[in-house]
Amino acid sequence: MAQVLEFKLPDLGEGLTEALIVRWLVEVGDVVTVDQPVVEVETAKAMVDVPCPYGGVVTARFGEEGTELPVGSPLLTVAVGASASGDDDGGSGNVLVGYGTGAPPARRRRVRPAPGTVGSGAVAPGTVAPGTVAPGRRPSSVPPRDGDTTGGGGVGGEHGTAVAPTGWRGPAQPHGRGLAVSSVTVPPVIGEGVIAEGGDTPASAVTAVRGEGPVPVISPLVRRLARENGLDLRELAGSGPDGLILRADVEYALRAAASAPTPASALAGASQDASVAPAAPRPTQPASPSQGTRIPLRGLRGVVADKLSRSRREIPDATCWVDADATELLHARAAMNAVGGPKISLLALLARICTAALTRHPELNSTVDMDAREIVRLDQVHLGFAAQTERGLVVPVVRDAHARDAESLSAEFARLTEAARTGTLTPAELTGGTFTLNNYGVFGVDGSTPIINHPEAAMLGVGRIVPKPWVHEGELAVRQVVQLSLTFDHRVCDGGTAGGFLRHVADCVEQPAVLLRSL
């Protein structure tokens, strides 16, 4: 007997709270196997193929391509039965954070579909599934339950059975249970954990009341953001599908409230009764050319904005720079590559110089714990390097860079750069850096004042290497010159330490033999 199980967007790790649907890999009606990838999502860290822990027939998908979903919201439903999954009624053994091998689902009674249903649980366009009621309405034949004013159990026919997920249980536990489904018989009301009219928006969005109608909120982050800032969600009009209130709507309302003398309640519109005449959703396109076009700060762009803004707010940074003659460094690299074997990249040599300089000046390989009012000096160097991709700027991390030679560094830089280009970097490869090397010379510029990659304490910037007039051994000559800049956290050291670090880097660039003292 087939059972319909709901698969929710799992916790993809590294504290990520949402993901953008890039491409569906299955259609409604497709047969899927356990651990088969069903959707490609983009998180703030990387592109991820999400496998389904159930085998069966896909009965519904939630969210169009380009839609951003919070962790824990429904992705799809699967009808699991002998015809689709054989004897395997359990979950998968996948290793994505947030769900594991699930326990067998609870038994459910077979219920004959009510007359007039379309297909198997499908809803015809412009109709309401039998046994459901429109949001905010209750059949007169069904009395309200004690303490229930909006409905909150499930949806079904007058004698129907609804699938009610027990909720998101967080990261998988050692015994592997991360997602459970139960079957209950409930009055025909819209409530949490079921599908609202049309099948596009989970009715778990119904978490508050606006007059006599429901307020669609699905993300706990949205509710928390509104609660912490004293914003009444009942007075907001959502810009998402079917009026769903998104985080962008709350943030927009907070910004408007901060810049205007009117209270936040005025932001929902001029209507005094939002349930009768709710304010129109905030348009995503400008009403006039003078207003410009609004582009949501989400995904990778949003994370970059948040991280760089935090760096500017919290870190009192300073920058020093110096020009260096890189002619001998280029000669040394040419000599290394002339003897055969794997090619040594210039970035690898600069990274080797960085790790040697950090050994002399460990203050710059640290972080600041303001809660404890302590500077934490780190024993290992995990070197991040800035890489520009089609998705935006990412900073892959080379683990244990201090223990690698130039050949190993070259190979790891090449591997991570290719992964960044194809969008296959994992969250672990994008986090945990202790110092960043920024080669902005690839953009054809000489200098920059980079923003520190929070919570690190410093970043070395390298400009383009170009021929310039230079006094060499007492004579004017054309040499290959590069500008080096160091942005550092003034809380961890003073200018003397930062200047000493940068001077040592410049000396190694001009005379690579200086590195031999560190080997």
Side-chain angles (χ1 to χ4, degrees):
M1 181 174 65
Q3 301 181 22
V4 178
L5 305 181
E6 184 180 72
F7 173 46
K8 298 183 178 182
L9 177 64
D11 177 2
L12 300 174
E14 300 295 338
L16 300 175
T17 59
E18 57 198 8
L20 184 73
I21 296 177
V22 175
R23 181 167 59 99
W24 282 104
L25 305 179
V26 295
E27 301 286 344
V28 173
D30 287 355
V31 176
V32 296
T33 58
V34 172
D35 285 348
Q36 175 182 333
V38 293
V39 64
E40 183 181 78
V41 301
E42 178 183 16
T43 71
K45 302 292 186 182
M47 302 282 284
V48 179
D49 286 345
V50 180
C52 180
Y54 306 117
V57 179
V58 178
T59 58
R61 302 185 319 191
F62 304 103
E64 299 296 328
E65 293 179 357
T67 303
E68 192 171 57
L69 297 179
V71 167
S73 60
L75 268 180
L76 50 76
T77 55
V78 179
V80 178
S83 61
S85 59
D87 297 329
D88 184 11
D89 289 332
S92 77
N94 61 67
V95 296
L96 271 180
V97 177
Y99 61 88
T101 303
R107 295 178 60 85
R108 302 193 304 129
R109 292 178 293 171
R110 177 183 293 275
V111 178
R112 186 180 300 277
T117 55
V118 180
S120 177
V123 181
T127 65
V128 180
T132 65
V133 293
R137 298 184 57 191
R138 180 189 302 277
S140 58
S141 61
V142 180
R145 292 170 293 174
D146 292 341
D148 185 359
T149 60
T150 63
V155 61
E158 291 194 11
H159 302 287
T161 300
V163 178
T166 59
W168 184 249
R169 295 192 174 185
Q173 301 301 320
H175 55 275
R177 298 182 62 181
L179 183 68
V181 180
S182 62
S183 175
V184 293
T185 302
V186 294
V189 295
I190 285 290
E192 188 164 354
V194 296
I195 309 306
E197 178 179 351
D200 293 330
T201 304
S204 57
V206 182
T207 59
V209 176
R210 175 166 55 209
E212 297 178 357
V215 174
V217 181
I218 186 173
S219 171
L221 297 177
V222 172
R223 295 194 293 271
R224 185 179 66 183
L225 181 62
R227 182 174 63 251
E228 291 177 351
N229 290 275
L231 188 63
D232 191 348
L233 289 173
R234 294 174 298 179
E235 298 175 344
L236 288 185
S239 62
D242 298 326
L244 185 68
I245 296 178
L246 308 178
R247 183 172 66 179
D249 299 320
V250 175
E251 292 173 343
Y252 177 80
L254 293 175
R255 288 195 301 269
S259 61
T262 55
S265 60
L267 299 175
S271 173
Q272 297 298 317
D273 188 349
S275 65
V276 177
R282 176 169 54 86
T284 57
Q285 296 298 327
S288 65
S290 61
Q291 293 180 346
T293 301
R294 292 184 176 273
I295 302 174
L297 272 175
R298 65 185 184 186
L300 179 61
R301 188 75 262 160
V303 169
V304 170
D306 292 340
K307 194 159 191 176
L308 296 184
S309 297
R310 182 178 183 183
S311 179
R312 279 294 192 216
R313 285 195 309 268
E314 297 184 10
I315 298 178
D317 58 353
T319 302
C320 53
W321 56 89
V322 65
D323 289 340
D325 180 2
T327 306
E328 296 304 322
L329 181 66
L330 297 179
H331 288 167
R333 175 175 176 254
M336 292 178 187
N337 291 334
V339 298
K343 298 297 183 182
I344 305 300
S345 68
L346 183 60
L347 187 62
L349 294 180
L350 292 170
R352 188 66 189 87
I353 292 172
C354 270
T355 58
L358 288 172
T359 301
R360 284 175 163 244
H361 303 279
E363 298 91 338
L364 295 170
N365 191 54
S366 62
T367 186
V368 177
D369 184 350
M370 287 303 296
D371 293 335
R373 299 193 66 80
E374 293 176 341
I375 296 173
V376 183
R377 289 190 183 177
L378 305 171
D379 298 326
Q380 297 173 315
V381 179
H382 301 315
L383 188 66
F385 66 100
Q388 190 70 36
T389 70
E390 292 182 357
R391 297 177 60 227
L393 180 68
V394 295
V395 184
V397 177
V398 177
R399 303 286 170 181
D400 299 317
H402 61 289
R404 297 175 181 265
D405 58 18
E407 185 175 315
S408 174
L409 288 169
S410 293
E412 187 66 356
F413 279 130
R415 184 187 72 82
L416 292 173
T417 299
E418 177 62 18
R421 187 187 65 81
T422 58
T424 57
L425 286 169
T426 65
E429 292 170 334
L430 287 164
T431 54
T434 64
F435 186 94
T436 297
L437 177 61
N438 188 356
N439 181 22
Y440 46 74
V442 296
F443 302 118
V445 298
D446 296 324
S448 174
T449 55
I451 300 175
I452 296 174
N453 188 19
H454 184 280
E456 298 171 11
M459 177 185 293
L460 178 68
V462 182
R464 61 176 180 165
I465 301 177
V466 293
K468 289 184 179 181
W470 191 266
V471 176
H472 177 66
E473 295 180 351
E475 296 183 358
L476 188 63
V478 175
R479 307 286 287 182
Q480 301 296 320
V481 179
V482 61
Q483 185 179 100
L484 307 170
S485 64
L486 176 70
T487 298
F488 64 98
D489 186 340
H490 228 311
R491 296 174 297 180
V492 303
C493 69
D494 295 324
T497 300
F501 173 91
L502 189 59
R503 186 63 258 170
H504 183 71
V505 170
D507 289 344
C508 291
V509 168
E510 294 184 340
Q511 303 177 46
V514 174
L515 273 177
L516 295 175
R517 295 175 59 91
S518 303
L519 298 180

